[in-house]
């Protein structure tokens, strides 16, 4: 008789031996019985929270994943970690905590999983930072794991039209401009978010979920299944079952999260016209998995991938629309048929990308969400890497929806988002200006806050594409307009953006991929000599620790770089 494989790759240190009687006593108190100590212990990392619609339903999903793991012979345990709602944190001091929350989530999953010696993990995320954070923890720990996305929100309805959270932000600018009244503004507020799920367009949450599916770390189709769809529960149960299968077959995250797999993820992000935050998050995830991924890899992939998804914020459609016409698998199938994906990459199904896609649906005939590769929205990906004397390490521009590729104008420089907001409200920013918001990078912010409120005000005031916005901070996936973020090195560490002065002429050219300001070498040296390192804005607490440890945005703004 064949001996059954022992799947307790780590928990055996608790499950056996006289010295571990106290440890087992604790587990018996939460429901373990004799037979459970012979099974692999599976952690269900839940990001459930009532602070955001993105995650408000994940407690139910976690219980489904637990049931799946138990049904397939595991001993599962649910534990929680935090989430920060970007939409609620946006536009005030709270946004400084958003990107650092990614590190807190990753650290907490790693901490619980390693302390408890769990053998495998199902991680379930929702809001923007939870997806990359879960994958960062998974990459570090390298034990059999599956990620499940909680799913997208349904679009809100107002006067027969679809609206979403970005509609709310842009309505503020419209109200300030006088184009809508109090009641119209209130109606947008009340109808933009109808229930559970992450923001509906191809914003950061949906971008990263799609990227993780392309990476091979989630169940095919799960990135586009809406939050309120009953099948989302089935996906979570499948994920619980799948972790046991991964243990059986000795398939580990780093077998899946390879350089080629990250290239697949970048390909899908470019084709979908995803969020600029993908640069930060995919780079950080790759670092955690021991994969060398640089900004230049994004640019190399971008050159060969057309932008084919007509999705918000620059297009018409939302994730629910993509789901209804075939979802991310149908897009991946189209890309693979044209030779744009590595089909031999392994996935959590135990099959390759190509094998998964052979079973995937094709795009629904007559659908309008995804263009053909012969008639793309843009011939190359819309997330463009820029370099020049203003951003030697790089900057990122999102060019989807832009009719112009070059912008030249005088700098209007502000050292905080609050100052820039007042300037816009006062009408100080006019057509042709380059609005610069600096000292909001990973260290200088700290936390590299998003500028959705600012970009929405610009669009709402009718200045979208008529002014450029440049920052060492970052943008929400919902931002659009002529916006350039992630300028590195940041102002706080002496990057050239910190040397800019009002009136300096800035040239941004996405065709030549240059970003420069007009300055003589002599003047540059004079400004550099006069520059002094500013004090950190926070002396204690999470933000102080983050600011001291965090890397450049060009390296993913991670806090666990090798210190040697």
């Amino acid at each position: 008789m064949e001996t059954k494989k022992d799947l307790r790759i780590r928990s055996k240190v608790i499950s056996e031996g006289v010295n571990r009687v106290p440890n087992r006593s604790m587990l018996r108190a939460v429901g373990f019985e004799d037979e459970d100590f012979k099974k692999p212990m599976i952690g269900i990392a839940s990001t459930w929270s009532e602070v955001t619609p993105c995650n408000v339903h994940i407690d139910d999903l976690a219980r489904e994943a637990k049931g799946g793991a138990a049904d397939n012979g595991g001993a599962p345990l649910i534990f929680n970690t935090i989430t920060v709602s970007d939409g609620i944190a946006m536009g005030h001091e709270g946004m400084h905590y958003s990107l650092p929350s990614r590190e807190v989530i990753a650290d907490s999953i790693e901490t619980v999983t390693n302390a408890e010696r769990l053998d495998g993990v199902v991680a379930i995320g929702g809001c923007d930072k939870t997806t990359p954070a879960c994958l960062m923890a998974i990459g570090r720990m390298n034990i059999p794991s599956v990620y499940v996305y909680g799913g997208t929100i349904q679009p809100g309805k107002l006067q027969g039209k679809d609206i979403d959270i970005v509609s709310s932000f842009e309505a503020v600018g419209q109200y300030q401009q006088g184009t809508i009244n109090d009641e119209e503004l209130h109606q947008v507020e009340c109808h933009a978010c109808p229930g559970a799920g992450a923001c509906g367009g191809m914003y950061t949450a949906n971008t990263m979920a799609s990227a993780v599916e392309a990476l091979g770390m989630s169940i095919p189709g799960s990135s586009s299944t809406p939050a309120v769809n009953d099948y989302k529960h089935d996906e979570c149960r499948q994920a619980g079952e799948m972790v046991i299968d991964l243990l059986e077959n000795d398939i580990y995250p780093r077998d899946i999260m390879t350089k080629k797999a990250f290239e697949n993820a970048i390909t899908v992000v470019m084709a979908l016209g995803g969020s600029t935050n993908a640069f930060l998050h995919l780079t950080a995830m790759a670092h955690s998995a021991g994969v060398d991924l640089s900004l230049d890899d994004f640019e190399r992939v971008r050159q060969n991938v057309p932008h084919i998804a007509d999705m918000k914020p620059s297009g018409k459609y939302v994730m629910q629309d993509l789901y209804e016409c075939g979802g991310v698998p149908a897009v991946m199938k189209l890309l693979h048929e044209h030779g744009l994906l590595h089909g031999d990459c392994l996935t959590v199904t135990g099959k390759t990308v190509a094998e998964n896609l052979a079973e995937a649906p094709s795009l629904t005939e007559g659908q309008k969400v995804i263009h053909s590769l012969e008639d793309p929205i843009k011939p190359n990906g819309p997330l463009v890497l820029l370099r020049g004397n203003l951003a030697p390490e790089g900057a990122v521009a999102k060019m989807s929806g832009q009719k112009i590729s070059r912008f030249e104008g005088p700098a209007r420089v502000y050292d905080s988002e609050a100052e820039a907001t007042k300037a816009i409200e006062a009408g100080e920013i006019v057509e042709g200006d380059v609005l610069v918001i600096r000292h909001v990078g990973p260290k200088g912010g700290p936390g590299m806050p998003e500028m959705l409120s600012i970009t929405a005000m610009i669009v709402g005031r009718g200045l979208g594409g008529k002014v450029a916005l440049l920052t060492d901070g970052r943008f929400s996936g919902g931002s659009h307009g002529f916006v350039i973020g992630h300028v590195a090195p940041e102002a706080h560490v002496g990057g050239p953006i910190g040397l800019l002065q009002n009136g300096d002429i800035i040239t941004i050219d996405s065709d030549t991929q240059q970003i420069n300001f007009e300055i003589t070498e002599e003047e540059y040296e004079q400004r550099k000599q006069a520059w002094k390192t500013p004090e950190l804005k926070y002396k204690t607490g999470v933000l102080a620790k983050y600011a001291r440890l965090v890397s450049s945005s060009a390296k993913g703004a991670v806090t666990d770089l090798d210190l040697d």
Side-chain angles (χ1 to χ4, degrees):
M1 182 176 175
E2 187 178 348
T3 304
K4 188 175 181 181
K5 183 177 180 180
D6 190 346
L7 304 182
R8 298 174 297 169
I9 59 174
R10 306 200 311 172
S11 65
K12 201 168 183 177
V13 299
I14 293 170
S15 302
E16 295 186 354
V18 172
N19 291 343
R20 296 294 176 254
V21 165
N23 311 60
R24 294 193 293 274
S25 294
M26 299 286 285
L27 286 167
R28 289 182 188 277
V30 300
F32 270 48
E33 297 178 355
D34 285 348
E35 60 269 23
D36 294 312
F37 291 108
K38 300 181 178 115
K39 303 172 182 177
M41 289 171 56
I42 305 300
I44 311 298
S46 170
T47 58
W48 170 77
S49 174
E50 290 184 337
V51 302
T52 173
C54 311
N55 297 54
V56 73
H57 60 307
I58 287 175
D59 54 340
D60 290 336
L61 300 183
R63 284 189 282 273
E64 292 287 353
K66 180 178 180 178
D71 288 347
N72 205 22
L77 296 159
I78 297 174
F79 66 91
N80 278 79
T81 183
I82 66 161
T83 187
V84 166
S85 171
D86 282 13
I88 297 171
M90 195 73 66
H92 52 80
E93 188 177 7
M95 180 43 66
H96 293 284
Y97 289 87
S98 172
L99 187 57
S101 78
R102 186 190 71 181
E103 312 303 302
V104 175
I105 296 163
D107 291 351
S108 65
I109 294 173
E110 177 191 356
T111 299
V112 173
T113 304
N114 283 343
E116 302 281 327
R117 307 317 294 158
L118 302 177
D119 301 302
V121 170
V122 176
I124 310 172
C127 197
D128 295 7
K129 306 306 169 296
T130 54
T131 295
C134 289
L135 270 294
M136 288 164 66
I138 286 168
R140 290 179 198 168
M141 298 182 301
N142 198 34
I143 59 174
S145 303
V146 178
Y147 176 75
V148 184
Y149 177 45
T152 184
I153 198 171
Q154 290 185 310
K157 297 286 185 181
L158 184 61
Q159 296 176 345
K161 294 182 179 179
D162 288 351
I163 64 170
D164 62 13
I165 187 61
V166 176
S167 307
S168 289
F169 281 98
E170 293 179 359
V172 173
Q174 294 163 358
Y175 176 78
Q176 291 171 341
Q177 191 73 359
T179 55
I180 62 174
N181 60 30
D182 288 317
E183 179 56 27
E184 290 170 320
L185 181 64
H186 185 64
Q187 286 299 310
V188 173
E189 177 183 324
C190 292
H191 290 87
C193 298
C199 300
M202 192 46 65
Y203 311 143
T204 302
N206 284 327
T207 296
M208 294 313 302
S210 303
V212 171
E213 182 174 328
L215 188 68
M217 285 302 299
S218 61
I219 295 170
S222 58
S223 66
S224 37
T225 307
V228 298
N229 189 299
D230 289 342
Y231 189 65
K232 183 58 69 177
H233 291 79
D234 295 335
E235 289 172 351
C236 290
R237 185 163 286 271
Q238 291 168 25
E241 296 170 354
M242 194 174 284
V243 170
I244 308 299
D245 295 338
L246 292 172
L247 278 163
E248 287 272 9
N249 294 303
D250 294 318
I251 297 175
Y252 290 76
R254 293 192 181 195
D255 299 326
I256 297 170
M257 297 169 69
T258 63
K259 181 69 173 277
K260 288 167 67 175
F262 276 99
E263 290 175 353
N264 283 347
I266 295 169
T267 296
V268 168
V269 168
M270 292 294 178
L272 294 176
S275 165
T276 52
N277 283 313
F279 282 78
L280 279 178
H281 297 326
L282 286 172
T283 305
M285 288 159 51
H287 170 73
S288 294
V291 173
D292 182 16
L293 189 72
S294 72
L295 298 185
D296 291 311
D297 290 314
F298 285 79
E299 181 56 32
R300 175 174 53 82
V301 173
R302 184 191 76 84
Q303 294 286 354
N304 299 315
V305 180
H307 175 204
I308 55 175
D310 187 12
M311 297 183 71
K312 290 176 180 281
S314 55
K316 299 176 184 176
Y317 300 101
V318 294
M319 197 63 154
Q320 171 108 5
D321 299 314
L322 178 59
Y323 169 75
E324 290 171 356
C325 69
V328 170
V331 176
M332 289 180 64
K333 187 164 190 167
L334 177 65
L335 294 170
H336 184 248
E337 288 170 351
H338 285 76
L340 296 176
L341 290 177
H342 300 294
D344 58 345
C345 289
L346 185 64
T347 74
V348 290
T349 66
K351 300 177 182 178
T352 65
V353 167
E355 288 170 332
N356 289 339
L357 293 178
E359 302 171 6
S362 297
L363 287 163
T364 305
E365 190 172 346
Q367 61 80 33
K368 297 180 180 179
V369 182
I370 303 297
H371 287 218
S372 69
L373 273 76
E374 294 73 28
D375 182 31
I377 296 168
K378 283 184 177 292
N380 306 110
L383 305 181
V384 180
L385 176 64
L386 305 174
R387 284 199 176 100
N389 68 0
L390 192 45
E393 290 181 4
V396 180
K398 185 172 183 177
M399 301 308 297
S400 54
Q402 295 306 307
K403 296 179 180 178
I404 57 172
S405 59
R406 189 178 187 279
F407 198 104
E408 182 177 310
R412 298 288 177 258
V413 183
Y414 301 91
D415 288 337
S416 72
E417 183 181 3
E419 291 177 15
T421 298
K422 291 178 183 176
I424 294 170
E425 289 174 343
E428 295 174 11
I429 306 302
V430 298
E431 184 173 342
D433 284 345
V434 179
L435 173 59
V436 178
I437 306 175
R438 65 187 180 189
H439 292 289
V440 289
K443 287 184 180 292
M448 208 178 177
E450 292 182 344
M451 302 290 150
L452 177 56
S453 294
I454 289 280
T455 57
M457 286 176 66
I458 289 170
V459 171
R461 285 173 168 264
L463 291 172
K466 298 177 182 177
V467 301
L469 174 53
L470 179 69
T471 180
D472 53 7
R474 61 195 178 91
F475 297 107
S476 162
S479 294
H480 58 113
F482 206 100
V483 296
I484 299 90
H486 306 205
V487 172
E490 62 175 296
H492 185 85
V493 300
I497 190 173
L499 307 181
L500 279 173
Q501 295 180 0
N502 282 321
D504 286 344
I505 300 301
I506 296 174
T507 302
I508 306 154
D509 194 320
S510 66
D511 291 332
T512 62
Q513 296 178 245
Q514 291 284 309
I515 180 167
N516 293 297
F517 68 118
E518 295 179 12
I519 190 170
T520 64
E521 288 187 22
E522 182 181 11
E523 175 67 14
Y524 184 89
E525 285 303 317
Q526 287 177 354
R527 293 187 193 181
K528 193 173 180 180
Q529 292 299 318
W531 182 86
K532 295 180 181 178
T533 303
E535 289 188 8
L536 292 175
K537 294 173 185 173
Y538 293 80
K539 307 299 183 187
T540 61
V542 170
L543 295 182
K545 286 189 288 186
Y546 180 84
R548 291 188 188 106
L549 290 171
V550 70
S551 73
S552 165
S553 59
K555 294 185 178 294
V558 296
T559 57
D560 65 338
L561 281 179
D562 190 336
L563 298 178
D564 292 339

